[in-house]
Amino acid sequence: MLHHFNMNILFTFLLAVATACFYVPELKQRGSIIIASCMAMAMLYHFLMKRPCKVYLVDFACFKPSVACLCSKETLLDRAKRVGFLSDENYKLVTKILDRSGLGPWTYVPEGLLEIPPKLTLDEARKETDTVLFGAVDELLEKTGIEAKDIGILIVNCCLFNPTPSLSDSIINRYKLRGNILAYNLSGMGCSAGVLAVDFAKQLLQAHPNSYALVLSTENEISSMYWGNNPSMLLVNCLFRMGGSAALLSSHPSDRRRAKYQLLHTLRTHVGADDNSYSCVFQEEDEENKVGVSLSKELMNVARDALKVHITSLGPLVLPLSEKIKFLSNLIERKVLKTKIESYMPNFKLAFEHFCIHTGGRAVLDRMQKSLELEDWHMEPSRMTLYRFGNTSSSSVWYELAYCEGKGRVKKGDRVWQMAFGSGFKCNTAVWLALNTIDVGSCRSAWRDEIGNFPVKIDPLPVKTNK
């Protein structure tokens, strides 16, 4: 804001000098030169002010829970049996889902869920979220060397847990952030909120140059667990796990030298005007008035259609000219000439070196790989994140980027595509440019102590046969 104030003073001064040239006799002889100079400087000022400032990702951190939160599939099933809320039929269903989910033998859940009986209090839910977010922020501040008082923008997203005071208030209190901070708390935005928050931060940073934005993403497992027997609501229990991330974005031009990435594009697509899309991920009560999130059988089709709409807008921003021509020709044939041909899927491997696709589940990743025609190498960060950490909701795309860095894949000039789906129904994208080759040795992340164990081989799902 101070930057804008100083530039406005300069602009006013230039206009005053130009005006004086018409009325001050001593300046009339050289008035044309002075006026021309002032006009040139004024035009330069106008150009600089209209041009949006660049946004950088200084660094990010993904929270890795303690060993006390480690949970095997067997432990999860044991707790479900001992709590006794599942029918025999649904117990078999949950066992089958876990076997086919793409999750590995060990993931993380809050300690409260491992207790018998489980601790489901508000205090326990707060404890979970505080542990995750404080852990991620502590690591991020240590990695970047930024002081908490320098942060001018705070965005926290958590879909299903929204206490009072808010989660953003909790961060402000913990780190004693300054009184004029722009603080926002996003709720109910689903798994795509992590990427959506990046877009929100970008707009705020461009409106407030020379600022830092702290973006936090998490989900609360204790408050999102479903304790009923509706099969469409049980999938959330099987896939979602404990986790969270913190990212520091900057609009300081001087941060380009040390930042990891520059934000090239953000894109948000919302197809919620369609009833099926709106209701395919829906929090509601079951027949016994137990609250859960139901996943419709139409979810995969909704995600596919949302992706088609999304890439129609994304393609012109990122694809090389050859792919743009192919895509446009196909679009004209289908929409204008009414030719009955399949829509052309552009080769996004020509636009990006790395793909961080939200770990919505094994079936979602299979569909995305098929739709985008990606190789197993491109899907490895998403599949290994799902295997090791489960679906951590809005923070999953950051665990995937950390995997790419931990494997030494990210080189200077590489482009990264973070893409996530979420309830509503939304499809959101962030495109990053790597400003430097990431040094694996100095890369502290949730993967650091075990990155050498990956990738692991995941057995293919059995093929359905018609009897």
Side-chain angles (χ1 to χ4, degrees), residues 57-78:
L57 175 61
V58 180
D59 212 333
F60 66 97
C62 298
F63 179 72
K64 186 175 184 178
S66 67
V67 177
C69 297
L70 267 177
C71 179
S72 66
K73 292 180 180 179
E74 292 75 20
T75 300
L76 198 67
L77 291 169
D78 174 72

Side-chain angles (χ1 to χ4, degrees), residues 43-208:
M43 291 176 65
L44 178 62
Y45 158 83
H46 181 76
F47 171 76
L48 292 175
M49 292 303 295
K50 288 294 183 181
R51 185 180 173 188
C53 59
K54 295 179 180 179
V55 174
Y56 303 102
L57 175 61
V58 180
D59 212 333
F60 66 97
C62 298
F63 179 72
K64 186 175 184 178
S66 67
V67 177
C69 297
L70 267 177
C71 179
S72 66
K73 292 180 180 179
E74 292 75 20
T75 300
L76 198 67
L77 291 169
D78 174 72
R79 294 298 186 272
K81 179 178 289 187
R82 292 169 69 177
V83 172
F85 72 95
L86 285 177
S87 66
D88 291 341
E89 182 180 356
N90 279 335
Y91 181 84
K92 293 178 181 178
L93 174 63
V94 168
T95 303
K96 182 179 179 180
I97 292 173
L98 285 173
D99 288 339
R100 299 163 63 95
S101 64
L103 274 71
W106 295 94
T107 49
Y108 297 98
V109 300
E111 292 182 63
L113 290 181
L114 296 176
E115 300 285 340
I116 298 294
K119 294 181 179 179
L120 307 175
T121 63
L122 179 61
D123 284 344
E124 200 68 24
R126 280 187 185 276
K127 177 183 174 183
E128 176 195 345
T129 299
D130 287 348
T131 300
V132 172
L133 293 183
F134 294 167
V137 175
D138 287 346
E139 180 181 330
L140 181 63
L141 294 179
E142 182 182 342
K143 290 167 75 172
T144 60
I146 293 292
E147 294 187 26
K149 64 180 179 62
D150 294 328
I151 297 170
I153 299 167
L154 172 65
I155 302 172
V156 182
N157 72 80
C158 183
C159 184
L160 296 175
F161 180 60
N162 297 283
T164 300
S166 69
L167 298 181
S168 59
D169 295 333
S170 176
I171 297 296
I172 291 171
N173 176 261
R174 164 81 173 193
Y175 296 97
K176 310 307 176 188
L177 302 183
R178 64 198 201 198
N180 65 343
I181 191 169
L182 302 177
Y184 302 89
N185 208 87
L186 307 181
S187 64
M189 304 299 284
C191 298
S192 68
V195 180
L196 183 151
V198 169
D199 173 71
F200 188 24
K202 180 191 78 171
Q203 296 185 48
L204 289 170
L205 286 168
Q206 290 178 340
H208 302 274

